[in-house]
Amino acid sequence: AQSVTQLGSHVSVSEGALVLLRCNYSSSVPPYLFWYVQYPNQGLQLLLKYTSAATLVKGINGFEAEFKKSETSFHLTKPSAHMSDAAEYFCAVSGSKDSSYKLIFGSGTRLLVRP
Amino acid sequence: EPEVTQTPSHQVTQMGQEVILRCVPISNHLYFYWYRQILGQKVEFLVSFYNNEISEKSEIFDDQFSVERPDGSNFTLKIRSTKLEDSAMYFCASSSSGGFGKTQYFGPGTRLLVL
């Protein structure tokens, strides 16, 4: 079965600092990996996704993530945090041949950006 | 930009009552999903729907739940007899086609509170 683990339920950074949100996956088949962001009182918005093309994926709002098969990781980074990046971030996986394309989510990481 | 919409945004109901959560997926999308997020927990898959049939359902999606696409635009989730543990945020999502790497677009959610 596929699963996703997000290390750190809360991450706090200063404005302008590097953002690193961790995601590790477990999958017996080549995975498709996604990062979604949820701003307060809003739905989930896709930041970026990995679909077996380039291992370094660039997304919206300056975020990027690197797929590392050897580490089973898909960590999300941004060089310089903005106050507007404060939100909850979810890593998700799909790709099981027994699945109907459903997404399996991690438990989420809440990013706090300090002024 | 096309969006998935959901109504109502909030619903309060008494235990044992029936509720219907409504979603309008993006107009040319063919795959539809419901997910839920109990407060403080992961976003969980409930059901996927394609070609007027359920493609897959999770263990959560028992006989109390049903989905329907009553017309060309709406996609509904019905809970026949609500329980306290059904209190959660319910998200509808849609994608343009099948495929594990296809982006699922999420609505803003309906917060259901069962008293």
Side-chain angles (χ1 to χ4, degrees), chain A residues 38-56:
Chain A
Q38 184 181 27
Y39 298 104
N41 301 315
Q42 294 187 29
L44 300 167
Q45 179 184 6
L46 181 72
L47 275 178
L48 50 81
K49 64 180 180 181
Y50 168 74
T51 57
S52 75
T55 56
L56 182 62

Side-chain angles (χ1 to χ4, degrees), chain B residues 58-74:
Chain B
S58 72
E59 291 176 355
I60 303 166
F61 194 89
D62 61 21
D63 291 344
Q64 294 299 313
F65 291 88
S66 62
V67 289
E68 192 179 27
R69 188 153 162 81
D71 52 41
S73 59
N74 290 281

Side-chain angles (χ1 to χ4, degrees), chain B residues 72-108:
Chain B
S73 59
N74 290 281
F75 180 51
T76 61
L77 174 69
K78 183 194 290 186
I79 309 175
R80 260 180 274 279
S81 178
T82 50
K83 306 184 184 80
L84 296 176
E85 54 265 37
D86 294 328
S87 295
M89 178 75 91
Y90 288 80
F91 293 107
C92 174
S94 69
S95 62
S96 58
S97 62
F100 293 113
K102 289 298 180 184
T103 298
Q104 292 182 24
Y105 295 85
F106 284 76

Side-chain angles (χ1 to χ4, degrees), chain A residues 43 46 48 52 54 56 60 66 73 93-96 100 102 104 106 109:
Chain A
L46 181 72
L48 50 81
S52 75
L56 182 62
I60 61 171
E66 186 172 8
S73 69
V93 65
S94 75
S96 167
S100 66
K102 68 183 178 190
I104 297 168
T109 298

Side-chain angles (χ1 to χ4, degrees), chain A residues 32 34 36 38 43-44 46 49 51 90 94-96 99-103 105-107, chain B residues 31 33 35 37 42-43 45 48 55-56 91 98-104 106-108:
Chain A
Y32 295 86
F34 305 78
Y36 280 85
Q38 184 181 27
L44 300 167
L46 181 72
K49 64 180 180 181
T51 57
F90 293 93
S94 75
S96 167
S99 164
S100 66
Y101 317 134
K102 68 183 178 190
L103 296 174
F105 285 87
S107 51
Chain B
Y31 287 75
Y33 308 84
Y35 293 83
Q37 184 182 26
K42 293 184 181 186
V43 176
F45 167 78
S48 58
S55 311
E56 183 180 359
F91 293 107
F100 293 113
K102 289 298 180 184
T103 298
Q104 292 182 24
F106 284 76

Side-chain angles (χ1 to χ4, degrees), chain A residues 4-102:
Chain A
V4 168
T5 301
Q6 291 184 243
L7 290 175
S9 58
H10 293 78
V11 169
S12 179
V13 300
S14 298
E15 193 173 17
L18 171 73
V19 175
L20 170 61
L21 304 182
R22 299 178 187 273
C23 172
N24 288 89
Y25 70 89
S26 171
S27 178
S28 58
V29 298
Y32 295 86
L33 293 157
F34 305 78
W35 275 100
Y36 280 85
V37 60
Q38 184 181 27
Y39 298 104
N41 301 315
Q42 294 187 29
L44 300 167
Q45 179 184 6
L46 181 72
L47 275 178
L48 50 81
K49 64 180 180 181
Y50 168 74
T51 57
S52 75
T55 56
L56 182 62
V57 181
K58 294 189 185 299
I60 61 171
N61 301 340
F63 284 93
E64 63 182 38
E66 186 172 8
F67 173 71
K68 291 187 177 180
K69 184 178 178 181
S70 60
E71 299 177 8
T72 61
S73 69
F74 190 57
H75 301 332
L76 182 70
T77 60
K78 182 173 180 177
S80 176
H82 295 167
M83 297 297 292
S84 59
D85 294 327
E88 187 142 23
Y89 293 80
F90 293 93
C91 183
V93 65
S94 75
S96 167
K97 60 180 166 63
D98 297 325
S99 164
S100 66
Y101 317 134
K102 68 183 178 190

